[in-house]
Amino acid sequence: MTARRQCFGLPAIDKTWLLLAGLSVLGLLLPLLTYAPNRLLTGRGLSVLTLHDGLAMALIPAAVLLVAACFAPESPRGLLARAWWSMWFVALLLWSAGHEASKLAGAEDSLARVSFGSGFWLMSLACLLMASESLRRLALPPLRQTLCLAAGIAPALAVLLTGRLDALSLLKEYQNYQDSFDTALIQHMQLVLFSLLPAVAAGTLLGLAAFRWRHWNNWLFGSLNILQTIPSIALFGLLIGPLAWIGKHWPGSGIAGVGAWPAVVALALYSLLPLARATCAGLQQVPQDVRHAAEGIGMTRWQIFRRIDLPLALPMFLGGVRVTAVQSIGLAAVSALIGAGGFGAIMFQGLSGSALDQVLLGVLPVVALAAATDGLFKLAASRLDRNRHD
Amino acid sequence: MSALSLPVAARQRGLCLSIAVLAATLLALPHAASLFHYFFPELERPLYTQESFANLLLSHLAIVAASSLIAMVLGAGGAILVCRSAWRDLRPLLETLLAISQSLPPVAVLAVAAPLIGFGETPALIALVLYGMLPIAHGTLNGLDSVSPELRDVARGMGMTTAQSLWKVELPLAAPVMLAGIRTSVVINIGTAAIASTVGAKTLGLPIIVGLSGFNTAYVIQGALLVALLAIVVDQAFESLAVGIAAPSLQKS
């Protein structure tokens, strides 16, 4: 940490907290909600200050506390308090937004649409950054960090699950599209899983081959790199032709040019490079001395592979699987363009109707899914690491 | 990593070859109606003719170039700023933001931008800039980190100002890693720009989108072929550029 100058006798504080406090105050002045009489009209912004309601008004002292929390000392207790309060603030923000929305939206058959405004997004982002930055500085062990994260999300989740947000148009969209949302979730997971499983098998074999036969490396990684360069929409498009041809000449296979097939094939192809590279790099970083020592004590080649190479290369390999899974979850969203379904279908449908809420209904689950996958793999990797050092 | 061990001539060969294939495809496609008719006899119009492919390519390149330039200024500028002593406090925040954004697919930024800003080139440009900044900022941070502190001290010892040390010592040494970030950003942007046809931007994605919505597989293949080749050409160009600047540099081992 760099030493900070003190100004006017006040303790100098980190610019991070100043910036985040500034963003939250700015967010308070921007519209918390936007209100539109129906789907076609553009919404009008409503900031906390124009709402004149108890719950919304409570946001003002809460925000003052949030700013005060930014000046809390950099001690573990201060950091924890900051993280804790910023997450509670998000929950309060959601609750008051939902409460206002239910008052504004009126009867159930009303066409009025109340959505989150720019102020809501800005304040939520500032709070999330505040919480994650505090947690990062606390440097807790991974498991406790995950528990803290879960405890942080709990109040916001409680607000959502107790139906306090149901009057917001994002949730109304969800109720309208509940069936297609559930289908999209299953399709999205299927696309990712069915492409990842064969890709892990093939990618590992390619990585092993690249490690075993070095002269193969340039050729293999060069061509996989070119494959990786091809944009997703282009690869999906290029696969339609050949797969349609296979489907026509081999009708029993169930292979078709549009739908899930080109999507799964393309996602699997994209996964090959990170997986092969992670396998090869994982094996390359196993010290040659360790292998020699293992040979010295009379291990067979298979034993060396199973007991030395495999466990030592595993963390890097898992890192590759993590990157691949996160990448596939995002890319699967694009595959809706070729009719593969998934959350991308909801997103593109909203895009063609210029309906932001519907777009968000497709985008937010993808981001959540990717972030959760990333977190789970990182947690698994840290457990693995700990077991090794114990 | 693997490509770095290739001889220089081989990499230039990749660039020349890919440019030649793109140019040949671009010239041949307008005359390939009978070929596509042979493969897709059921299609009445097997060749996309609403707009010339060369025009689409140019406008695709224009969007990508404009957004990448802005993204370079903002992304690299932001990263350089948080590496300066006055703004060093904000560096962890930028890193957290970059880490969070890694679970954000590029298409999500585009999809959110369009309903907010409207249809056409503007939302596409804004989305491309916003997402394009991330890999560049990441590359710049890593690049500046790779410069050894001793070299920075030497620069100061020679009497260079902070700005001089940045321009003459740190940035040239950080250039290879920064370039890798710019390469990632531009290649991603080429793909996202193609998808931006769904929000009304005129790019090579247009034949793909029109073909998909009109069940015209021939259109899809024509657009996809050009988008893929364009991405490969640009990637190869960065590869050659990387050779040029990677050669004589002192790096922390």
Side-chain angles (χ1 to χ4, degrees), chain A residues 24-345:
Chain A
S24 343
V25 173
L26 181 66
L28 204 61
L29 302 174
L30 288 170
L32 176 70
L33 296 168
T34 61
Y35 171 84
N38 61 49
R39 204 178 169 140
L40 299 172
L41 294 176
T42 355
R44 147 175 80 89
L46 298 165
S47 85
V48 172
L49 303 173
T50 56
L51 284 171
H52 300 299
D53 176 87
L55 201 52
M57 280 302 174
L59 278 176
I60 297 172
V64 171
L65 275 177
L66 190 71
V67 173
C70 289
F71 293 87
E74 288 283 297
S75 63
R77 194 178 278 180
L79 285 169
L80 207 57
R82 193 178 289 147
W84 185 79
W85 182 244
S86 53
M87 289 318 287
W88 273 95
F89 186 78
V90 172
L92 187 66
L93 204 58
L94 282 169
W95 188 13
S96 54
H99 179 70
E100 288 306 318
S102 65
K103 279 184 16 193
L104 285 164
E108 207 153 286
D109 55 343
S110 144
L111 291 173
R113 299 173 66 80
V114 190
S115 328
F116 291 123
S118 50
F120 170 83
W121 295 115
L122 192 61
M123 279 189 278
S124 310
L125 180 70
C127 286
L128 283 178
L129 284 175
M130 215 180 275
S132 63
E133 187 56 27
S134 304
L135 275 185
R136 200 188 59 80
R137 289 190 191 185
L138 268 171
L140 294 172
L143 189 63
R144 279 175 68 190
Q145 192 166 12
T146 314
L147 287 177
C148 270
L149 214 63
I153 299 170
L157 210 57
V159 172
L160 174 72
L161 294 180
T162 48
R164 287 176 209 284
L165 301 180
D166 286 354
L168 280 155
S169 53
L170 182 63
L171 271 290
K172 279 191 175 166
E173 292 284 2
Y174 171 69
Q175 280 140 17
N176 290 343
Y177 293 97
Q178 198 164 5
D179 289 340
S180 49
F181 186 90
D182 296 344
T183 323
L185 177 66
I186 293 168
Q187 282 173 338
H188 210 99
M189 304 282 263
Q190 279 175 340
L191 285 175
V192 172
L193 277 181
F194 289 150
S195 62
L196 205 56
L197 292 178
V200 167
T204 313
L205 284 180
L206 285 176
L208 281 173
F211 175 69
R212 186 78 181 69
W213 296 287
R214 299 284 160 97
H215 56 273
W216 229 57
N217 271 10
N218 284 337
W219 187 84
L220 175 75
F221 286 122
S223 31
L224 285 181
N225 192 38
I226 288 177
L227 196 65
Q228 200 79 3
T229 308
I230 299 175
S232 52
I233 187 175
L235 190 56
F236 290 142
L238 288 175
L239 285 172
I240 291 180
L243 287 175
W245 189 84
I246 295 177
K248 208 157 87 183
H249 290 82
W250 186 20
S253 65
I255 294 176
V258 287
W261 270 101
V264 168
V265 174
L267 291 180
L269 287 175
Y270 279 130
S271 307
L272 289 180
L273 179 67
L275 287 169
R277 190 173 272 168
T279 310
C280 186
L283 288 170
Q284 270 167 358
Q285 48 99 49
V286 175
Q288 205 59 40
D289 300 350
V290 178
R291 281 201 198 101
H292 288 319
E295 251 169 57
I297 60 168
M299 281 192 180
T300 62
R301 271 173 76 173
W302 170 244
Q303 278 176 324
I304 294 177
F305 177 72
R306 226 189 67 80
R307 312 219 5 215
I308 309 285
D309 287 341
L310 210 59
L312 286 179
L314 196 59
M316 224 168 190
F317 173 74
L318 275 184
V321 179
R322 173 175 65 85
V323 170
T324 312
V326 170
Q327 172 189 286
S328 293
I329 290 172
L331 284 174
V334 181
S335 68
L337 282 175
I338 50 163
F343 286 119

Side-chain angles (χ1 to χ4, degrees), chain A residues 15-30:
Chain A
K15 282 199 186 72
T16 309
W17 310 124
L18 272 183
L19 177 74
L20 292 177
L23 285 180
S24 343
V25 173
L26 181 66
L28 204 61
L29 302 174
L30 288 170

